[in-house]
Amino acid sequence: MGRVSTSGPDVDVPAVLALLRAATAADGVRPLSEDAELRLQHRSPGGADLVERADDGTPVGYARLDDGVAELVVHPDHRRRGHGTALLRRVLDAAGRGPVDIWAHGDLPGSAELLAAHGFARARVLLQMRRDLAGVDPDPRPALAEGVTVSAFRPGRDEEAWLGVNAHAFDWHPEQGRTTRADLELREAEPWFDPEGFLLAWRGEPDDGGELLGFHWTKVHPPGDAGPEPVGEIYVLGVDPGAQGLGLGRALTDLGLAHLRGRGLAEVLLYVEEDNEAAVRLYEARGFRRSAVDVAWRRPERP
């Protein structure tokens, strides 16, 4: 079976990252969310890392638990040997009596089989949607409300304004609405971060009493990350509730897609909650199609 070690300096991060790459290659989907992988890479405080090891110490399974939400993966060469069950049991032990959500990226049959057998039920569905960029207007000129302009994010100057609007726009979202300055700065330090693809809609002058109304943060995945070629992403798109009705969602969507097309990309993806029907309709009207599914499985609080 192997043995288990928990979070701490003994976690061999490069070896775990190699495990994640092997699972991605075998399954065609990344086994961890970006946030979980960043926290592993940077050894961010909080949460717990659980590592299932072979007798020679090689990691063959990994799980991360943070505030009642977990993700786990077993190396493709070591599946069907009890490692997934062992990891899941330690996740449940670490979580105690509280409710637990476990994300199954790609909704693979093995994940459903394991989690259903341990009392989990499907609770949230996250759609991945994709479209090609060939038909995108390379130079959209949306009609913006009077006094509204769109400009690129300025590192070191726009963080607090963005965090405020993001919190308001996603106050209903259990992950995005809780983004902190540290979370933002982790992403600003990533090689993919491009402030020119982080578009902010302001009413008035940003440094002279201006008000941030909305934003479209784009991302470019390198080859092998989301496909054999580079792929763009509508990373986060949000409009402050007080600015609804100004057409900013559509305007920012079109401007961000034009930016990604201008980078020479052929395809763009995004993630959206399946039950966010208004957003799904907006993206379908913009030519997006459903491509993949991530599912959060939930075990309710135990008595």
Side-chain angles (χ1 to χ4, degrees):
M1 174 71 71
R3 59 188 186 278
V4 174
S5 67
T6 57
S7 59
D10 61 326
V11 174
D12 186 343
V13 174
V16 174
L17 292 175
L19 186 162
L20 300 182
R21 289 193 295 272
T24 301
D27 299 331
V29 62
R30 293 174 65 174
L32 293 189
S33 65
E34 178 192 65
D35 186 65
E37 192 166 330
L38 282 173
R39 291 180 182 278
L40 167 67
Q41 287 177 315
H42 295 280
R43 309 306 295 130
S44 298
D49 300 288
L50 306 172
V51 182
E52 175 84 353
R53 301 178 185 275
D55 291 336
D56 63 0
T58 303
V60 296
Y62 170 77
R64 179 167 180 85
L65 172 68
D66 194 353
D67 197 22
V69 179
E71 298 166 83
L72 60 87
V73 56
V74 174
H75 194 287
D77 295 340
H78 296 270
R79 293 174 179 172
R80 300 291 179 178
R81 302 181 190 180
H83 297 305
T85 299
L87 279 172
L88 179 58
R89 286 173 177 165
R90 270 118 185 132
V91 166
L92 296 178
D93 287 345
R97 296 182 179 275
V100 182
D101 283 4
I102 296 183
W103 279 101
H105 298 286
D107 197 19
L108 302 174
S111 299
E113 179 182 337
L114 172 66
L115 295 169
H118 285 80
F120 284 77
R122 294 164 73 98
R124 287 173 62 193
V125 177
L126 188 66
L127 300 178
Q128 183 191 117
M129 304 181 75
R130 295 193 180 214
R131 66 155 292 172
D132 66 72
L133 287 165
V136 166
D137 183 349
D139 186 26
R141 300 185 183 185
L144 299 172
E146 184 177 357
V148 176
T149 59
V150 177
S151 57
F153 180 87
R154 300 169 301 170
R157 298 172 71 178
D158 292 333
E159 281 83 356
E160 290 305 317
W162 180 82
L163 286 166
V165 172
N166 180 73
H168 292 155
F170 291 97
D171 61 356
W172 53 274
H173 197 282
E175 292 95 24
Q176 186 63 35
R178 296 166 59 189
T179 301
T180 66
R181 176 110 187 197
D183 295 329
L184 175 56
E185 290 175 347
L186 270 181
R187 285 153 180 79
E188 288 184 63
E190 285 294 290
W192 59 262
F193 179 76
D194 174 16
E196 293 300 315
F198 194 164
L199 306 176
L200 306 183
W202 295 89
R203 177 186 283 130
E205 293 296 324
D207 294 326
D208 189 20
E211 178 187 11
L212 183 61
L213 304 179
F215 59 88
H216 183 177
W217 187 353
T218 68
K219 175 180 179 178
V220 178
H221 294 266
D225 192 33
E229 302 296 328
V231 176
E233 180 179 350
I234 295 181
Y235 189 56
V236 196
L237 175 67
V239 176
D240 190 280
Q244 297 290 344
L246 299 179
L248 285 176
R250 292 180 181 275
L252 287 165
T253 298
D254 291 344
L255 289 167
L257 292 177
H259 169 79
L260 293 171
R261 177 176 175 177
R263 292 285 305 270
L265 303 173
E267 191 175 31
V268 60
L269 64 84
L270 60 84
Y271 293 92
V272 62
E273 301 278 346
E274 185 181 49
D275 61 3
N276 188 347
E277 297 178 359
V280 172
R281 286 197 301 269
L282 169 66
Y283 293 131
E284 288 178 337
R286 285 294 188 270
F288 283 87
R289 65 191 186 281
R290 302 182 186 209
S291 175
V293 173
D294 294 339
V295 176
W297 291 75
R298 180 167 299 161
R299 186 209 66 181
E301 183 174 0
R302 292 186 294 185

